[in-house]
Amino acid sequence: MSSSDENIKMEDVGEQQQITTTTTSTDSTTTSIPTPPQRNPINNRTEKSVGIECFLGTSAPWTGILKQRYDDFIVNEIDINGNVITLNSITDTEPTEEKEPEKPKVQEETKPETEVVEQPTISEKVVKDLEDIVGNEQATKFLEFVNVTSKSNPKSKFLFDLIQDKEKRTSLHLLIKHSFRMISETENSCVKVLSSSRGSRGDNRDAWPAGRPKYLQFVLFKENKESMDAFNIISKQLKVNQRIFSMAGTKDKRGVTTQSVTAFKMNHKRLLGVNSRLYGMKVGGDFKYVDKHLQLGDLSGNRFTIVIRDISADDQLVESSVEQFKKTGFINYYGLQRFGTGSVSTHQIGKSIIRGEWEEVIKLMLYPREGEKEELRVARQKYKDSGDVKALMRSLPKMTSERIKLYGHELPVVGDLVAVDIDKKAKDDNEANNNNNEGESNVLEDAQDEEVPDDDDSDFHIVHVTEEDVKAGRYNISQVVLPMFGNDVLYPLNKIGELYKQVIAEDNITEKNFTNKSRIYNLKGSYRKIISFANDIQYKTFRYDDYTKALTINDLERLNGKEEPQDQPNGKFRALRISFNLPTSSYATMAYRELLKLTTDILPQVALGENSKQAISNNNNNDSSTINEDNAESNENKKRKIDEVVSKEEKEEEDKNKIKIEKTI
């Protein structure tokens, strides 16, 4: 291990310990932090169980509650050009139009200037597909309608016979839309086709102005809602298909979020009309019509504004923690939410898929699980016993730590993988060619041309770090990446690379497993930076008495003229409000973890929250047992609360074990 490892905070709890306390002293404060037992309780996967173990900074740990209120967590998307998306208007402003640059025209053979009317091509395959869905007789009648009736009477309609099978109806709708370019609707389990492109709901696509880009880009503001739920609500209000909406990235439910959205052929006035019927959501912003719809990944990051309540740190420790956070960044772990919340981890299912153990996949996904609602448990058990999948469906609602431990977090080491900017690569190539007579080496030649771009249009190449690179100080820790398993990635040429092979071998997986012959999946793999840095960091501390007091203002409140929250003099509790930008695929919860040197495990967070609410309740009721501001006493109360929760779970676990032993005897 390198000397830099001395700066790394580690949480190491022995198997025999039920709960430990890590105490760290500084000149300003002494903080006692309770650590939950290292078990994997139902619906409470711990950080340690998935390999989240290390910290980077040396500041003392302290406690604080994240997301006590949903409006303590505000997220503003950052677009691909680095602009922070805000809801700056909900009034009718004339949209701008953004068109793609015209491609150079290729000289073509001169043809007579005649108006070309695009007609649908009805191939033999289309006719065959139609017959497979509705039968020969219905197909013949519909083709007659298409070729004769619809042309002579634009208001005519065709009604297919009853189709009970929903999947068949869906297939028919898609065939009519893509192959015949007509509009269809479902009416009492029958598919109705309209001869004109104007649907009965008034969705007149033909009325779209010629030359206008096909997509409306706008801003979606929502509170405490999933992105897809928001789209569903808006589409119902507009009476359009939810699929006309697309976004650059999904956003948290528990929070206040602002993001860009595109909608296919949607008039901005019509969209604005739903605002009066929306609760906890608004649409608006600087409207513009664009040629391309947003796709997942069309963003450069997110700006977070988070409030951490009931903090135990004084101003000096807060400042020290934030300044270190600015310099060191944080380990780019996946947050606990990526591993699921049930008793079966999502990565367990993934490993079985890769091994091709399909029966095991079904068992992991559908068999009974501990800790679920009774009706779901019964349905799962029924499926296990009888194979009744319909009843079940109706009821259904590590690596990085080892790199930090071995080689620290300050510099790349020989064998590491680094992401090299393509522009820098070209510059290095030129410099190397110009200096060949002086014996200077080319980084990519040293890597034996092993660079592998993530995608054809990637901005980076991936190369191995050589001894020459280290001596020259060619790379920094922010460029170091680790591969995500796949058949098209490089692995580190050091102990971490060996660890990759060891881990998959323990799971009975080889590199060949990442290519599936049945084409169900093909895992090419990718890369992920081990250290992430926040930027544009701003922060402020507040005092308050009531946890229901808002300590932020969101875009809509700011638009409506609400004033900034003010500090409450002599408030019994303290909070930190901090704002920062993070790149894509980095988790704000992991930034919070590094800032406080505090686990994000659910158990201690719940305990801290309950303790805070109880303290505020006691204070509001003028109870004699008010909470003292002294940090040691406050944290002792939190530790006691955790002890109570843990003891209860241990008692339940002990009772279960006794029952198992008795059955065995």
Side-chain angles (χ1 to χ4, degrees):
M1 295 178 67
S2 67
S3 59
S4 62
D5 289 319
E6 296 177 2
N7 295 330
I8 301 171
K9 300 293 181 184
M10 302 292 298
E11 287 183 336
D12 187 12
V13 182
E15 292 182 2
Q16 302 301 319
Q17 292 176 294
Q18 296 303 312
I19 189 164
T20 64
T21 303
T22 302
T23 305
T24 307
S25 299
T26 65
D27 295 336
S28 59
T29 186
T30 299
T31 305
S32 178
I33 297 184
T35 305
Q38 299 303 305
R39 299 189 296 112
N40 187 14
I42 303 304
N43 294 328
N44 180 30
R45 195 153 288 109
T46 63
E47 287 185 351
K48 192 176 181 70
S49 70
V50 295
I52 301 175
E53 301 180 34
C54 304
F55 297 104
L56 299 182
T58 59
S59 58
W62 41 288
T63 59
I65 306 166
L66 182 66
K67 289 189 177 183
Q68 188 172 57
R69 293 166 49 93
Y70 75 78
D71 55 3
D72 284 347
F73 196 80
I74 297 177
V75 185
N76 288 76
E77 190 171 86
I78 303 175
D79 70 18
I80 204 72
N81 298 315
N83 303 308
V84 178
I85 305 300
T86 59
L87 183 72
N88 54 16
S89 172
I90 53 174
T91 59
D92 184 2
T93 55
E94 193 61 30
T96 58
E97 293 188 8
E98 289 187 3
K99 295 185 177 181
E100 288 187 278
E102 290 187 7
K103 297 179 181 179
K105 293 183 179 180
V106 179
Q107 188 172 1
E108 298 178 353
E109 182 182 354
T110 305
K111 295 181 180 179
E113 294 185 1
T114 57
E115 183 179 358
V116 178
V117 180
E118 189 177 10
Q119 296 290 345
T121 301
I122 306 175
S123 64
E124 291 183 4
K125 183 181 182 305
V126 171
V127 174
K128 178 66 168 58
D129 291 342
L130 181 64
E131 291 174 346
D132 289 343
I133 298 172
V134 300
N136 293 342
E137 184 180 351
Q138 285 280 291
T140 301
K141 290 181 179 179
F142 179 67
L143 291 173
E144 183 181 352
F145 167 78
V146 172
N147 294 321
V148 181
T149 311
S150 65
K151 294 177 180 179
S152 61
N153 182 6
K155 295 184 178 180
S156 60
K157 302 174 184 177
F158 183 89
L159 190 66
F160 284 96
D161 290 344
L162 182 70
I163 302 177
Q164 295 285 11
D165 190 324
K166 186 177 180 180
E167 290 186 4
K168 279 192 174 184
R169 291 201 303 269
T170 301
S171 299
L172 183 56
H173 282 300
L174 292 173
L175 188 67
I176 291 167
K177 176 181 178 182
H178 296 296
S179 298
F180 295 92
R181 296 173 194 166
M182 305 176 85
I183 289 178
S184 59
E185 299 174 345
T186 298
E187 188 176 276
N188 298 324
S189 296
C190 296
V191 174
K192 180 172 67 176
V193 183
L194 310 176
S195 60
S196 72
S197 61
R198 181 179 176 87
S200 62
R201 293 174 176 174
D203 185 14
N204 192 349
R205 298 283 171 88
D206 278 358
W208 194 254
R212 174 186 287 178
K214 293 181 179 180
Y215 300 94
L216 173 68
Q217 184 166 322
F218 62 96
V219 173
L220 170 64
F221 169 90
K222 63 182 182 63
E223 301 177 272
N224 207 29
K225 283 183 177 61
E226 298 278 3
S227 297
M228 297 310 297
D229 288 342
F231 289 167
N232 185 46
I233 293 169
I234 295 172
S235 63
K236 285 182 177 179
Q237 293 291 336
L238 292 169
K239 294 182 172 60
V240 297
N241 194 309
Q242 183 177 334
R243 287 179 294 180
I244 73 168
F245 298 104
S246 56
M247 59 187 169
T250 56
K251 298 291 178 281
D252 297 74
K253 175 184 178 181
R254 187 167 176 78
V256 180
T257 68
T258 307
Q259 65 189 112
S260 283
V261 176
T262 51
F264 179 68
K265 289 190 175 181
M266 174 58 62
N267 183 281
H268 78 286
K269 293 179 183 291
R270 183 181 176 194
L271 180 67
L272 274 173
V274 303
N275 272 339
S276 60
R277 307 192 296 275
L278 296 179
Y279 176 76
M281 292 189 296
K282 292 293 178 186
V283 293
D286 294 325
F287 292 111
K288 56 185 175 183
Y289 291 111
V290 296
D291 283 317
K292 286 186 175 181
H293 64 84
L294 288 171
Q295 294 179 305
L296 290 176
D298 287 345
L299 72 166
S300 61
N302 294 284
R303 180 160 184 80
F304 296 88
T305 298
I306 62 178
V307 174
I308 305 171
R309 293 181 182 261
D310 196 11
I311 62 175
S312 62
D314 59 19
D315 288 345
Q316 184 178 348
L317 180 54
V318 168
E319 182 179 0
S320 171
S321 299
V322 173
E323 291 305 315
Q324 278 198 11
F325 176 71
K326 289 180 180 179
K327 294 176 182 177
T328 66
F330 59 97
I331 305 174
N332 200 24
Y333 290 122
Y334 282 110
L336 280 177
Q337 60 267 44
R338 286 295 296 268
F339 296 90
T341 57
S343 59
V344 177
S345 299
T346 53
H347 67 281
Q348 289 178 275
I349 299 173
K351 286 190 291 187
S352 293
I353 291 175
I354 292 171
R355 290 192 293 256
E357 300 168 350
W358 303 113
E359 289 187 9
E360 183 64 18
V361 171
I362 292 172
K363 290 177 182 179
L364 288 171
M365 294 179 67
L366 303 182
Y367 273 25
R369 300 180 180 183
E370 296 182 55
E372 290 189 318
K373 294 180 179 180
E374 179 63 15
E375 60 268 24
L376 186 54
R377 186 197 65 78
V378 170
R380 287 185 182 275
Q381 188 63 48
K382 187 174 181 181
Y383 170 75
K384 181 180 179 181
D385 296 338
S386 65
D388 187 354
V389 71
K390 290 185 178 180
L392 175 58
M393 291 299 104
R394 287 194 296 267
S395 303
L396 286 178
K398 55 190 164 167
M399 253 352 136
T400 300
S401 292
E402 295 303 318
R403 168 58 179 78
I404 300 297
K405 291 177 186 177
L406 286 173
Y407 303 118
H409 67 282
E410 294 181 347
L411 295 170
V413 298
V414 174
D416 271 344
L417 294 173
V418 290
V420 181
D421 187 279
I422 287 177
D423 292 337
K424 184 180 184 301
K425 167 189 174 296
K427 183 179 179 182
D428 288 343
D429 285 343
N430 292 333
E431 288 180 355
N433 291 332
N434 293 334
N435 295 314
N436 274 341
N437 293 332
E438 300 176 18
E440 292 192 9
S441 61
N442 182 339
V443 58
L444 295 177
E445 289 176 357
D446 290 338
Q448 298 178 347
D449 293 327
E450 288 183 313
E451 69 276 8
V452 179
D454 290 349
D455 297 294
D456 293 339
D457 58 348
S458 172
D459 294 330
F460 297 96
H461 282 272
I462 305 298
V463 299
H464 285 112
V465 176
T466 65
E467 290 186 10
E468 289 77 8
D469 297 332
V470 173
K471 290 176 183 178
R474 191 168 280 126
Y475 304 120
N476 58 60
I477 195 66
S478 68
Q479 294 174 279
V480 178
V481 299
L482 285 177
M484 311 294 289
F485 285 111
N487 57 41
D488 195 24
V489 293
L490 299 177
Y491 292 93
L493 296 177
N494 50 33
K495 290 183 179 179
I496 296 301
E498 296 171 8
L499 183 60
Y500 269 82
K501 296 178 181 179
Q502 176 186 330
V503 167
I504 63 173
E506 290 173 354
D507 290 323
N508 296 319
I509 295 172
T510 67
E511 292 184 37
K512 292 181 180 178
N513 291 123
F514 296 117
T515 301
N516 185 264
K517 294 180 180 179
S518 63
R519 296 291 181 181
I520 293 175
Y521 63 85
N522 183 23
L523 299 179
K524 290 186 176 182
S526 60
Y527 300 91
R528 182 174 176 84
K529 291 187 176 182
I530 67 170
I531 304 294
S532 186
F533 289 87
N535 58 63
D536 194 9
I537 300 173
Q538 301 173 6
Y539 68 99
K540 180 179 180 179
T541 57
F542 292 85
R543 284 191 172 275
Y544 66 101
D545 280 330
D546 186 353
Y547 81 94
T548 63
K549 175 182 173 62
L551 300 178
T552 61
I553 59 171
N554 58 51
D555 285 356
L556 184 60
E557 292 170 335
R558 189 174 289 108
L559 194 60
N560 291 332
K562 183 175 180 179
E563 295 183 355
E564 280 279 347
Q566 299 299 314
D567 183 70
Q568 183 177 343
N570 303 317
K572 293 188 176 295
F573 303 96
R574 300 175 66 251
L576 168 67
R577 186 181 72 192
I578 183 168
S579 301
F580 49 81
N581 297 350
L582 290 183
T584 56
S585 297
S586 291
Y587 290 77
T589 50
M590 295 296 101
Y592 157 85
R593 177 184 182 274
E594 174 65 34
L595 188 64
L596 278 68
K597 309 297 182 295
L598 180 70
T599 175
T600 60
D601 290 348
I602 295 174
L603 192 65
Q605 284 292 312
V606 170
L608 290 173
E610 291 300 320
N611 185 70
S612 176
K613 290 180 183 179
Q614 184 61 47
I616 293 170
S617 176
N618 291 341
N619 180 69
N620 291 341
N621 294 327
N622 294 318
D623 194 286
S624 58
S625 58
T626 55
I627 299 296
N628 194 302
E629 280 191 353
D630 180 79
N631 284 332
E633 182 177 347
S634 176
N635 283 297
E636 183 61 32
N637 289 335
K638 294 165 186 173
K639 178 180 180 299
R640 187 181 302 113
K641 183 68 177 179
I642 293 176
D643 283 336
E644 292 172 0
V645 176
V646 172
S647 297
K648 182 179 178 182
E649 286 204 349
E650 288 174 347
K651 180 65 168 57
E652 292 174 352
E653 190 71 22
E654 185 179 344
D655 291 341
K656 288 180 182 178
N657 290 334
K658 285 181 180 179
I659 294 172
K660 290 179 181 178
I661 293 172
E662 289 173 358
K663 287 183 177 180
T664 303
I665 295 173

